[in-house]
Amino acid sequence: MFPVKLLILRAIPSVPVGQYFPLARSLTCGVTRLSKKAEQLENEEPAADELPVTFVDDDAESTEAREARKAALRNKSRLLPQHRNMLHGVLPYEQSQSWIHETVKYKRMMLGRYGIDGSRVDPRVCFPTKKEAYEKAEYERVAFPFTLKQMMDANETARKTRKAEIEAREADVARKLEKLDQWTSDLNARIAKKEAEARAAKERKDRLVEEVRRHFGFKVDPRDERFQEMLALKEREDRKKVKEAKRKEKEEKMMEKLQKKTAQLESDAQVPSEQTK
């Protein structure tokens, strides 16, 4: 029974007797109510989870419940149970919570992470079934049809082919570098020929313009129609002269070739006659 602290009454001043009796009755009723409240609290047995740890009777609860209560009191992280299990290296879920937890891939992952005892998974799930083994063998047969020796030979052949191509390319580059000087000289000759032809054409044009001016005997605007007509006539005549000169040069070359060929035939004909004699 809880101790009841009685109120210490101060010295009551002298009052008439008729006023003292109501005061005494009120004090007596208050003491009686406090005594009944203390008896009621003593008879009630509060639950262990509603009382502080210091007021819990260890003999009244089981060992498992006490350990669970202590674990709950020690858990100050406010993590979810599955996350706290993962933090302490324990299987997250005691029971499957989703269809994913029943897949072979998830079970293999749990077995590899927590071991046989910690994951409670049959280790036989790590080995492929007959169907899986057949499908894998069929895939390897189609994806990798060649043996290791065949692949090594093919790699060696490809390496030799690449080496031969590189060597051929290097030889071609070296051969072209040898001809670089000749090509440079030929290019310079072609450029010089083009420049000479351009200069000759300009000189011919200037010459024709000067001839047209001498024909008229006075200075004429090159944009004048008469000047343009006469210039065109002079150009046609000049082209005829150039064409005639080229024809004569070609005839001379042909005649020279014929003469050389005739002389060669005559010399060939004289050799058998001398041998006959």
Side-chain angles (χ1 to χ4, degrees):
M1 181 177 180
F2 294 106
V4 178
K5 295 181 180 180
L6 298 179
L7 297 175
I8 301 175
L9 300 178
R10 292 181 299 175
I12 302 174
S14 60
V15 293
V17 177
Q19 295 180 2
Y20 176 76
F21 288 107
L23 181 59
R25 279 197 304 270
S26 62
L27 290 174
T28 305
C29 292
V31 172
T32 305
R33 284 197 297 270
L34 288 174
S35 301
K36 290 182 179 180
K37 185 66 175 178
E39 291 178 0
Q40 184 180 359
L41 291 175
E42 185 179 2
N43 294 330
E44 290 182 357
E45 293 182 0
D49 55 354
E50 296 180 358
L51 293 176
V53 179
T54 55
F55 287 94
V56 175
D57 188 4
D58 293 340
D59 298 333
E61 60 179 348
S62 62
T63 304
E64 292 80 3
R66 184 167 59 255
E67 294 297 331
R69 180 171 54 80
K70 290 180 180 179
L73 292 174
R74 285 196 299 265
N75 184 13
K76 304 299 182 181
S77 63
R78 297 186 181 181
L79 293 174
L80 295 176
Q82 59 270 25
H83 296 161
R84 192 167 184 275
N85 291 340
M86 293 173 64
L87 181 63
H88 291 282
V90 184
L91 190 67
Y93 301 100
E94 296 293 334
Q95 301 293 334
S96 298
Q97 304 295 324
S98 174
W99 62 270
I100 299 178
H101 299 165
E102 298 296 332
T103 59
V104 176
K105 182 178 180 180
Y106 181 82
K107 290 181 178 180
R108 289 175 178 175
M109 183 176 66
M110 292 297 103
L111 180 63
R113 183 173 297 175
Y114 302 108
I116 298 176
D117 297 333
S119 63
R120 298 193 292 274
V121 176
D122 189 355
R124 289 179 293 180
V125 299
C126 296
F127 298 93
T129 61
K130 291 184 178 180
K131 182 179 179 181
E132 292 175 349
Y134 173 77
E135 291 177 351
K136 186 175 182 180
E138 185 67 15
Y139 170 79
E140 291 181 352
R141 185 183 66 82
V142 175
F144 309 103
F146 303 105
T147 61
L148 181 60
K149 183 66 170 59
Q150 292 174 341
M151 290 190 290
M152 292 175 64
D153 295 340
N155 187 21
E156 183 66 19
T157 303
R159 188 182 65 80
K160 290 181 179 179
T161 303
R162 288 195 300 270
K163 184 178 179 181
E165 292 176 355
I166 293 172
E167 291 177 353
R169 175 65 177 170
E170 291 176 351
D172 183 56
V173 170
R175 186 171 60 256
K176 290 180 178 179
L177 286 175
E178 292 176 356
K179 297 180 180 179
L180 181 61
D181 296 336
Q182 181 65 30
W183 290 345
T184 304
S185 60
D186 293 344
L187 178 61
N188 293 331
R190 286 196 298 270
I191 293 173
K193 183 179 179 182
K194 291 287 184 182
E195 291 176 351
E197 290 177 354
R199 285 195 300 269
K202 186 176 182 304
E203 291 173 358
R204 184 170 61 85
K205 182 79 174 195
D206 295 340
R207 179 175 56 80
L208 292 174
V209 170
E210 187 64 26
E211 289 179 1
V212 171
R213 286 177 179 174
R214 284 200 303 268
H215 174 76
F216 286 105
F218 54 89
K219 189 175 182 180
V220 184
D221 188 0
R223 292 172 294 182
D224 189 84
E225 293 182 359
R226 294 175 299 171
F227 186 89
Q228 295 292 335
E229 291 177 0
M230 184 57 65
L231 182 61
L233 179 61
K234 290 290 184 181
E235 286 179 351
R236 285 196 296 271
E237 291 177 356
D238 188 71
R239 281 197 296 270
K240 287 181 181 179
K241 290 179 181 180
V242 172
K243 187 176 182 181
E244 184 68 20
K246 288 183 178 180
R247 186 179 63 79
K248 288 182 179 180
E249 184 180 359
K250 187 176 181 181
E251 288 178 356
E252 291 177 358
K253 288 182 178 180
M254 288 293 294
M255 290 297 296
E256 185 177 356
K257 288 182 180 179
L258 288 174
Q259 290 176 359
K260 289 181 179 180
K261 191 172 183 181
T262 303
Q264 182 68 26
L265 291 174
E266 289 177 355
S267 62
D268 292 341
Q270 290 177 2
V271 172
S273 60
E274 293 177 357
Q275 291 178 354
T276 303
K277 292 178 180 180

